[in-house]
Amino acid sequence: MTSVPVSERWRRPAGALPHCYRQFYSRGEESLRSTKMTVLPRIGLGMAALGRPGYINLDRTAILGTSDERNIDEMQVRANGVMERLMDSSSSFMPWFDCARSYGLSETFVGEFLRSKKVDPKDVYLSSKWGYTYVANWQVELEQGKQHEVKDHSVENFLKQIKETNEELGEYIDLYQVHSATFDSGILTNTTVHNALNECKKERGWSIGLSVSGPSQDEIIREAISIKADDGSRLFDSVQCTFNMLEQRPLLALNEASESGMDIIIKEGLANGRALRHPKLREWAQKLDCEVDQIALACILAQPFKARVLSGAITPEQLSSNLEAMEIVDTIKDTDLKQIMDSCIMSSEQYWNERSALAWN
């Protein structure tokens, strides 16, 4: 692939995509997404670690090389390889990609990949997020005090970012999520934003969700369940939550959300790589003759809230191993799921304190 300066690739002109890629799909039309399978994919590919050069997952340098070796073209080639593996592995399920406006060029990478393969929108599931803006300018390490992404849950930013997502992925989007909803951001009480989200749901046919983070995830989920649209229906169709072998506090809230009819999506199922190093989990993996990542993800898939799980793989091999978690879910259920989970749990406060100390690499 020919190298293109960041200034040219990063500042994509608003009209760079063909008009047909910028169409909206409303419930009033015979939308392609209405023909999709009713059973949603259980495992998908999260693009947080592939759409930008830096992230907080452990051991990125060992796999990706130094930050100098991660220009836009190289990261896109790597992302394409992992996406190709997902497509090749999905003969029995619909491939699912999860992006965000703040995941660097994730939406661009996924959109260009799907169109280059001429993938029909009804044959793939696409979710993305709004609320954060990527501001790291394709750098891995920033000066002290500078941020990689900036949060803004205002209606103005929603209207701005939904246009950007629509230009990149419009005909493919199935689910659009508030990125990292918190009490402090105001999103949970901002009826102006709620109305805009509901209009998006009605006019474009996109499901509306939210992602949550931090030790108060359970409280935020419960609040989200109670938020109604102006017609009295539940506003949020899904919640994307951090839940894994180490962080288990949201369990009851996720059960409640599932019982209310919300789609449950789990992110950071491997705890940014920390779960792979847990001695107890490694012992269980050896006992059950499987890989550590597989038992970690299978334990999530076996939970009563019937989650869909995102893989954070950055190599085709990692993705293939993650996908095999589905093969041992019944084995996990037949063993002692609670015993496995109890052997790895830590306090939510400790989990998030340790996560906040992880360096972008």
Side-chain angles (χ1 to χ4, degrees), residues 279-294:
K280 288 294 184 181
L281 194 58
R282 296 176 73 90
E283 289 177 14
W284 279 107
Q286 185 173 14
K287 180 179 179 180
L288 296 176
D289 192 26
C290 64
E291 299 298 326
V292 183
D293 65 300
Q294 294 164 8

Side-chain angles (χ1 to χ4, degrees), residues 158-221:
F158 168 69
L159 295 174
K160 171 180 176 290
Q161 292 196 315
I162 196 173
K163 288 180 180 178
E164 294 167 344
T165 296
N166 193 65
E167 288 176 354
E168 298 288 1
L169 289 171
E171 78 273 33
Y172 288 107
I173 289 290
D174 295 282
L175 169 65
Y176 207 45
Q177 305 154 99
V178 179
H179 199 167
S180 192
T182 63
F183 291 109
D184 291 340
S185 76
I187 185 69
L188 298 172
T189 56
N190 191 328
T191 56
T192 302
V193 177
H194 296 173
N195 290 338
L197 292 172
N198 196 43
E199 284 301 307
C200 171
K201 182 188 296 191
K202 291 188 294 185
E203 293 181 4
R204 306 190 184 189
W206 299 356
S207 295
I208 296 296
L210 76 167
S211 73
V212 294
S213 296
S216 299
Q217 290 185 115
D218 53 345
E219 299 172 28
I220 299 168
I221 291 170

Side-chain angles (χ1 to χ4, degrees), residues 118-336:
K118 295 181 172 55
V119 176
D120 193 309
K122 68 180 175 58
D123 294 329
V124 64
Y125 189 92
L126 235 300
S127 51
S128 194
K129 310 178 196 73
W130 73 275
Y132 272 104
T133 298
Y134 180 67
V135 293
N137 196 32
W138 212 258
Q139 301 297 308
V140 175
E141 298 178 2
L142 304 180
E143 296 178 12
Q144 187 173 359
K146 290 193 174 182
Q147 298 175 302
H148 288 258
E149 48 194 13
V150 176
K151 180 185 285 189
D152 179 0
H153 283 164
S154 68
V155 70
E156 292 80 10
N157 194 46
F158 168 69
L159 295 174
K160 171 180 176 290
Q161 292 196 315
I162 196 173
K163 288 180 180 178
E164 294 167 344
T165 296
N166 193 65
E167 288 176 354
E168 298 288 1
L169 289 171
E171 78 273 33
Y172 288 107
I173 289 290
D174 295 282
L175 169 65
Y176 207 45
Q177 305 154 99
V178 179
H179 199 167
S180 192
T182 63
F183 291 109
D184 291 340
S185 76
I187 185 69
L188 298 172
T189 56
N190 191 328
T191 56
T192 302
V193 177
H194 296 173
N195 290 338
L197 292 172
N198 196 43
E199 284 301 307
C200 171
K201 182 188 296 191
K202 291 188 294 185
E203 293 181 4
R204 306 190 184 189
W206 299 356
S207 295
I208 296 296
L210 76 167
S211 73
V212 294
S213 296
S216 299
Q217 290 185 115
D218 53 345
E219 299 172 28
I220 299 168
I221 291 170
R222 290 188 173 102
E223 182 66 23
I225 294 172
S226 69
I227 296 174
K228 304 296 184 183
D230 54 10
D231 61 1
S233 63
R234 190 185 60 248
L235 177 62
F236 293 109
D237 302 301
S238 71
V239 60
Q240 184 174 140
C241 176
T242 295
F243 179 90
N244 52 55
M245 305 302 295
L246 311 182
E247 164 61 318
Q248 300 177 32
R249 177 171 169 172
L251 175 62
L252 295 180
L254 289 170
N255 284 336
E256 294 168 21
S258 177
E259 290 168 2
S260 78
M262 293 179 76
D263 178 24
I264 308 300
I265 298 172
I266 299 302
K267 59 186 171 71
E268 299 187 8
L270 300 181
N272 304 110
R274 288 184 285 159
L276 301 177
R277 299 181 178 183
H278 197 287
K280 288 294 184 181
L281 194 58
R282 296 176 73 90
E283 289 177 14
W284 279 107
Q286 185 173 14
K287 180 179 179 180
L288 296 176
D289 192 26
C290 64
E291 299 298 326
V292 183
D293 65 300
Q294 294 164 8
I295 188 173
L297 297 180
C299 283
I300 299 170
L301 291 163
Q303 294 297 323
F305 49 77
K306 300 176 182 177
R308 302 197 289 132
V309 179
L310 289 168
S311 163
I314 57 173
T315 69
E317 294 76 21
Q318 287 180 352
L319 179 62
S320 292
S321 184
N322 290 176
L323 292 173
E324 289 183 25
M326 286 294 300
E327 305 300 320
I328 62 169
V329 172
D330 289 340
T331 301
I332 295 295
K333 289 180 178 178
D334 292 340
T335 310
D336 190 338

Side-chain angles (χ1 to χ4, degrees), residues 73-113:
D73 294 323
E74 288 168 339
M75 287 301 297
Q76 185 166 23
V77 168
R78 178 172 291 278
N80 287 347
V82 184
M83 289 189 284
E84 189 79 56
R85 179 63 58 88
L86 180 61
M87 299 297 290
D88 291 344
S89 304
S90 60
S91 59
S92 60
F93 62 91
M94 181 180 289
W96 165 29
F97 301 96
D98 183 74
C99 303
R101 289 304 304 152
S102 63
Y103 293 170
L105 289 171
S106 65
E107 290 185 337
T108 301
F109 288 176
V110 173
E112 291 184 356
F113 173 82

Side-chain angles (χ1 to χ4, degrees), residues 21-82:
Y21 293 157
R22 301 197 298 277
Q23 291 183 28
F24 297 159
Y25 291 81
S26 70
R27 292 188 186 278
E29 301 171 353
E30 189 177 353
S31 170
L32 284 174
R33 69 184 89 267
S34 67
T35 66
K36 288 189 176 182
M37 63 175 66
T38 56
V39 179
L40 298 176
R42 293 297 304 278
I43 298 182
L45 176 62
M47 297 296 293
L50 284 168
R52 53 192 170 183
Y55 193 49
I56 61 172
N57 285 356
L58 302 179
D59 302 325
R60 282 174 65 83
T61 300
I63 299 172
L64 301 177
T66 65
S67 58
D68 293 337
E69 300 174 85
R70 304 181 210 170
N71 64 42
I72 290 175
D73 294 323
E74 288 168 339
M75 287 301 297
Q76 185 166 23
V77 168
R78 178 172 291 278
N80 287 347
V82 184

